[in-house]
């Protein structure tokens, strides 16, 4: 089984971290391929960057030359999953929905701890659209920018733990969800310090993707996610002979 794990930004080192987390949870025999978009922002922290990332990820995935069995979109609260579902016949799993749905198996209410406050409304909207908001106690911002998660990991962990503990104490959350793909691999330390289950979206999405492939299930094509109708689309596929970097 081969699963493409698509970073939504152009920071290669973040793709490395996301792919490493995916491999740590994947079953024996599952090949994890990290994909970095060939254009876009080096971090996604707003609507413009998110919509740009949606196009970049669709471009990166559709340009991948080898067969694959599923795709994980590794951006929390980002746009684009629906487009991939139309374009592909294999399962597409977004870490936002994977993490939130997993959290609901573990406690009555969950809270998301993300990066900057400006991303909170985007995440709230994506959870509401997915029907996962009813059991969300809160979405809290750590105040750390996406790139700071790599540049200052110790400070990032402390900021995330602080908000996680506030979510448990003040918002009555029983589970914490890490609300950024760049937080991949931080779950164990935060779990030990916060004292509640902590769900990493990348790990949750890979596990769900593997399950869907094993059950021979994929996106329904009868209506909402039917393949795009044949028509002239100017500029697509994007004109390039470059193949997105893979790990």
């Amino acid at each position: 089984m081969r699963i493409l794990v698509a970073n939504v930004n152009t920071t290669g080192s973040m793709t490395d971290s996301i792919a490493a987390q995916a491999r740590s949870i994947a079953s024996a025999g599952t090949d994890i391929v990290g994909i970095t978009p060939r254009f876009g922002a080096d971090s996604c922290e707003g609507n413009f960057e998110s919509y740009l990332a949606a196009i970049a990820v669709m471009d990166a995935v559709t340009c991948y030359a080898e067969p694959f069995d599923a795709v994980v979109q590794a951006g929390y609260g980002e746009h684009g999953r629906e487009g991939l579902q139309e374009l592909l016949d294999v399962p597409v799993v977004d870490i936002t929905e994977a993490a939130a749905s997993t959290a609901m198996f573990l406690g009555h209410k969950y809270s998301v701890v993300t990066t900057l406050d400006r991303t909170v409304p985007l995440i709230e909207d994506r959870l509401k659209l997915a029907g996962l908001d009813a059991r969300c106690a809160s979405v809290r911002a750590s105040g750390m920018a996406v790139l700071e998660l790599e540049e200052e990991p110790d400070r990032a962990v402390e900021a995330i733990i602080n908000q996680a503990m506030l979510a448990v104490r003040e918002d009555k959350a029983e589970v914490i969800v890490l609300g950024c793909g760049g937080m991949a691999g931080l779950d164990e330390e935060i779990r030990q310090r916060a004292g509640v289950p902590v769900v990493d979206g990348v790990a949750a999405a890979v596990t769900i993707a593997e399950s869907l492939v094993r059950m021979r299930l994929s996106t329904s094509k009868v209506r909402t996610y039917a393949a795009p109708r044949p028509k002239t689309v100017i500029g697509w596929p994007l004109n390039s002979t470059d193949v997105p970097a893979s790990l």
Side-chain angles (χ1 to χ4, degrees):
M1 182 189 308
R2 176 179 291 157
I3 299 176
L4 303 188
V5 179
N7 184 8
V8 298
N9 65 49
T10 57
T11 300
S13 58
M14 197 163 291
T15 305
D16 294 346
S17 298
I18 290 169
Q21 177 69 351
R23 291 188 185 106
S24 74
I25 199 69
S27 302
T30 296
D31 180 22
I32 299 293
V33 180
I35 296 291
T36 305
R38 62 186 182 85
F39 63 89
D42 57 2
S43 65
C44 293
E45 294 164 321
N47 281 292
F48 163 69
E49 293 155 359
S50 180
Y51 280 112
L52 184 60
I55 300 171
V57 168
M58 286 189 286
D59 172 65
V61 170
T62 55
C63 284
Y64 186 76
E66 300 298 324
F68 54 90
D69 300 289
V71 174
V72 168
Q73 180 174 294
Y76 206 96
E78 308 301 337
H79 301 89
R81 183 264 299 164
E82 298 90 343
L84 281 174
Q85 286 184 296
E86 289 187 6
L87 290 171
L88 303 175
D89 292 324
V90 301
V92 178
V93 182
D94 171 62
I95 67 169
T96 313
E97 297 170 9
S101 59
T102 299
M104 294 194 297
F105 287 106
L106 306 173
H108 179 62
K109 291 273 189 176
Y110 70 91
S111 283
V112 179
V113 179
T114 187
T115 52
L116 300 179
D117 182 66
R118 65 173 292 160
T119 67
V120 169
L122 279 72
I123 291 172
E124 290 175 336
D125 286 350
R126 297 301 289 177
L127 291 173
K128 185 174 183 179
L129 182 65
L132 296 166
D133 59 317
R135 289 171 61 185
C136 181
S138 60
V139 180
R140 285 179 166 268
S142 66
M144 301 291 292
V146 172
L147 297 181
E148 288 178 322
L149 298 173
E150 286 192 328
E151 296 166 357
E152 302 181 67
D154 293 339
R155 190 163 76 90
V157 168
E158 289 302 320
I160 295 166
I161 289 172
N162 179 57
Q163 291 302 316
M165 295 177 75
L166 287 172
V168 172
R169 185 168 64 249
E170 297 182 2
D171 307 329
K172 308 305 180 186
E174 298 175 7
V175 183
I176 297 298
V177 169
L178 300 181
C180 176
M183 295 178 181
L186 301 181
D187 51 317
E188 185 57 38
E189 183 173 356
I190 297 167
R191 181 183 300 117
Q192 292 176 0
R193 296 275 299 278
V196 296
V198 177
V199 180
D200 173 85
V202 173
V206 168
T207 302
I208 292 170
E210 286 185 322
S211 297
L212 292 174
V213 173
R214 290 195 180 98
M215 290 189 290
R216 299 180 182 178
L217 294 173
S218 192
T219 308
S220 173
K221 293 292 185 176
V222 299
R223 191 181 186 194
T224 307
Y225 304 117
R229 295 182 63 207
K231 62 182 68 176
T232 300
V233 181
I234 297 174
W236 185 270
L238 299 177
N239 296 322
S240 174
T241 57
D242 296 337
V243 176
S246 62
L247 304 177

